[in-house]
PDB file of all heavy atoms in Angstrom:
ATOM      1  N   GLY A 285     113.354  81.098 112.891  1.00  0.00           N
ATOM      2  CA  GLY A 285     112.099  80.746 112.305  1.00  0.00           C
ATOM      3  C   GLY A 285     110.953  81.552 112.966  1.00  0.00           C
ATOM      4  O   GLY A 285     110.147  82.098 112.146  1.00  0.00           O
ATOM      5  N   LEU A 320     114.373  81.525 100.086  1.00  0.00           N
ATOM      6  CA  LEU A 320     115.582  80.832 100.250  1.00  0.00           C
ATOM      7  C   LEU A 320     116.741  81.694 100.600  1.00  0.00           C
ATOM      8  O   LEU A 320     117.491  81.509 101.643  1.00  0.00           O
ATOM      9  CB  LEU A 320     115.918  79.865  99.089  1.00  0.00           C
ATOM     10  CG  LEU A 320     117.233  79.165  99.154  1.00  0.00           C
ATOM     11  CD1 LEU A 320     117.333  78.219 100.259  1.00  0.00           C
ATOM     12  CD2 LEU A 320     117.585  78.402  97.796  1.00  0.00           C
ATOM     13  N   GLY A 372     136.460 101.205  95.904  1.00  0.00           N
ATOM     14  CA  GLY A 372     135.473 100.818  96.935  1.00  0.00           C
ATOM     15  C   GLY A 372     135.568  99.339  97.307  1.00  0.00           C
ATOM     16  O   GLY A 372     135.565  99.084  98.517  1.00  0.00           O
ATOM     17  N   GLY A 389     141.494  89.964 119.682  1.00  0.00           N
ATOM     18  CA  GLY A 389     141.565  90.799 120.967  1.00  0.00           C
ATOM     19  C   GLY A 389     140.145  90.793 121.558  1.00  0.00           C
ATOM     20  O   GLY A 389     140.108  91.217 122.847  1.00  0.00           O
ATOM     21  N   PRO A 425     105.630  93.936  95.670  1.00  0.00           N
ATOM     22  CA  PRO A 425     106.632  93.965  96.729  1.00  0.00           C
ATOM     23  C   PRO A 425     106.181  93.634  98.147  1.00  0.00           C
ATOM     24  O   PRO A 425     106.829  92.909  98.804  1.00  0.00           O
ATOM     25  CB  PRO A 425     107.162  95.385  96.652  1.00  0.00           C
ATOM     26  CG  PRO A 425     106.003  96.211  96.136  1.00  0.00           C
ATOM     27  CD  PRO A 425     105.454  95.333  95.065  1.00  0.00           C
ATOM     28  N   GLY A 437     110.095  81.524 107.234  1.00  0.00           N
ATOM     29  CA  GLY A 437     109.837  81.359 108.690  1.00  0.00           C
ATOM     30  C   GLY A 437     109.280  79.973 108.933  1.00  0.00           C
ATOM     31  O   GLY A 437     109.677  79.378 110.010  1.00  0.00           O
ATOM     32  N   VAL A 470     111.223  95.619 113.413  1.00  0.00           N
ATOM     33  CA  VAL A 470     112.432  95.335 112.526  1.00  0.00           C
ATOM     34  C   VAL A 470     111.932  94.573 111.237  1.00  0.00           C
ATOM     35  O   VAL A 470     112.349  94.982 110.133  1.00  0.00           O
ATOM     36  CB  VAL A 470     113.415  94.514 113.241  1.00  0.00           C
ATOM     37  CG1 VAL A 470     114.617  94.172 112.315  1.00  0.00           C
ATOM     38  CG2 VAL A 470     114.032  95.263 114.509  1.00  0.00           C
ATOM     39  N   ALA A 491     119.784 103.545 100.390  1.00  0.00           N
ATOM     40  CA  ALA A 491     120.991 102.996 100.163  1.00  0.00           C
ATOM     41  C   ALA A 491     122.192 103.731 100.753  1.00  0.00           C
ATOM     42  O   ALA A 491     123.213 103.332 101.391  1.00  0.00           O
ATOM     43  CB  ALA A 491     121.326 102.672  98.768  1.00  0.00           C
ATOM     44  N   PRO A 512     133.126  95.035 123.279  1.00  0.00           N
ATOM     45  CA  PRO A 512     134.319  95.839 123.107  1.00  0.00           C
ATOM     46  C   PRO A 512     134.229  96.852 121.959  1.00  0.00           C
ATOM     47  O   PRO A 512     133.543  96.450 120.832  1.00  0.00           O
ATOM     48  CB  PRO A 512     135.414  94.829 122.989  1.00  0.00           C
ATOM     49  CG  PRO A 512     134.785  93.574 122.356  1.00  0.00           C
ATOM     50  CD  PRO A 512     133.297  93.631 122.961  1.00  0.00           C
ATOM     51  N   ALA A 519     138.662 101.203 112.795  1.00  0.00           N
ATOM     52  CA  ALA A 519     139.413 101.394 111.551  1.00  0.00           C
ATOM     53  C   ALA A 519     138.769 100.664 110.468  1.00  0.00           C
ATOM     54  O   ALA A 519     138.677 101.043 109.246  1.00  0.00           O
ATOM     55  CB  ALA A 519     140.880 101.039 111.775  1.00  0.00           C
ATOM     56  N   GLU A 544     133.298 110.560  86.679  1.00  0.00           N
ATOM     57  CA  GLU A 544     133.138 109.543  87.688  1.00  0.00           C
ATOM     58  C   GLU A 544     133.707 110.090  89.140  1.00  0.00           C
ATOM     59  O   GLU A 544     134.633 110.761  89.074  1.00  0.00           O
ATOM     60  CB  GLU A 544     133.986 108.263  87.268  1.00  0.00           C
ATOM     61  CG  GLU A 544     133.544 107.744  85.987  1.00  0.00           C
ATOM     62  CD  GLU A 544     132.118 107.234  86.028  1.00  0.00           C
ATOM     63  OE1 GLU A 544     131.653 106.919  87.101  1.00  0.00           O
ATOM     64  OE2 GLU A 544     131.480 107.162  84.941  1.00  0.00           O
TER      65      GLU A 544
END
Side-chain angles (χ1 to χ4, degrees):
L320 173 63
V470 175
E544 303 297 337

